[in-house]
Amino acid sequence: MSDCIFCKILKGEIPSKIIYQDDYCFAINDINPKAKKHILVIPKEHIESLNEVKDFSLISKMFEAIKKINSQENITHFRTQINTGSQAGQEVMHLHIHILAN
Ligand code: AMP
Ligand code: ZN
C-alpha cells in the first residue's frame, strides 16, 4: 500500500534497519521503544490488522520468525503484543507483532 509506513520501509522508501527478514515477514526496531528491546515483526504482505487475516498459517510463520529473531537478539524473556483497531491502540494500519523485552 503506497501510503503505509511499513510498506515504505520494506520498499526502502523510508530509511530503517531491517534486522531480520524471510519470505513472509521482516523485523525492525521500534522507533519509540517501550522496553529495553522493542522489535516489530511485520508481514511483507500489506494486511491491515489481525481482523483481515484469512490464512492463519501466516501468524504461525510470524511466531516462527519471532523465535529466530529472539535467538539472534539474545532475547529469552519477552512479551508479544498485537494491537488490533484504533480503539485498542493500533496506530499503524499494517499488521505487526510487538516483541518487548527488558
Ligand atoms: P501500534 O500502536 O501497535 O500500531 O504500533 C505501531 C508502532 O510502530 C509504534 O510502537 C511506533 O513507535 C512504531 N513506529 C512508527 N513508525 C515507525 C518507524 N518509522 N520505524 C519504526 N517503528 C515505527
Ligand atoms: Zn503496509
Side-chain angles (χ1 to χ4, degrees):
M1 210 199 193
S2 58
D3 62 347
C4 167
I5 294 173
F6 292 162
C7 286
K8 282 186 173 172
I9 288 173
L10 182 62
K11 283 188 268 175
E13 292 170 8
I14 292 177
S16 181
K17 189 181 164 203
I18 293 178
I19 62 166
Y20 169 90
Q21 68 173 313
D22 60 30
D23 289 347
Y24 306 95
C25 60
F26 65 103
I28 56 173
N29 288 308
D30 197 292
I31 203 166
N32 181 21
K34 286 144 198 103
K36 268 189 204 144
K37 287 192 177 178
H38 186 171
I39 296 164
L40 302 174
V41 184
I42 306 163
K44 287 185 168 176
E45 184 187 348
H46 180 89
I47 298 171
E48 198 168 303
S49 80
L50 193 60
N51 285 337
E52 280 71 40
V53 174
K54 292 190 176 72
D55 178 0
F56 276 84
S57 69
L58 172 67
I59 304 301
S60 171
K61 294 286 181 198
M62 289 174 76
F63 274 95
E64 234 180 297
I66 286 171
K67 219 180 148 189
K68 290 179 190 165
I69 293 159
N70 285 347
S71 167
Q72 180 185 302
E73 301 294 317
N74 295 312
I75 295 171
T76 48
H77 295 207
F78 62 98
R79 291 187 293 125
T80 51
Q81 186 170 328
I82 305 175
N83 297 327
T84 304
S86 57
Q87 288 178 48
Q90 186 178 2
E91 289 170 4
V92 178
M93 293 300 155
H94 179 140
L95 175 66
H96 51 283
I97 304 176
H98 298 256
I99 303 173
L100 296 140
N102 281 310

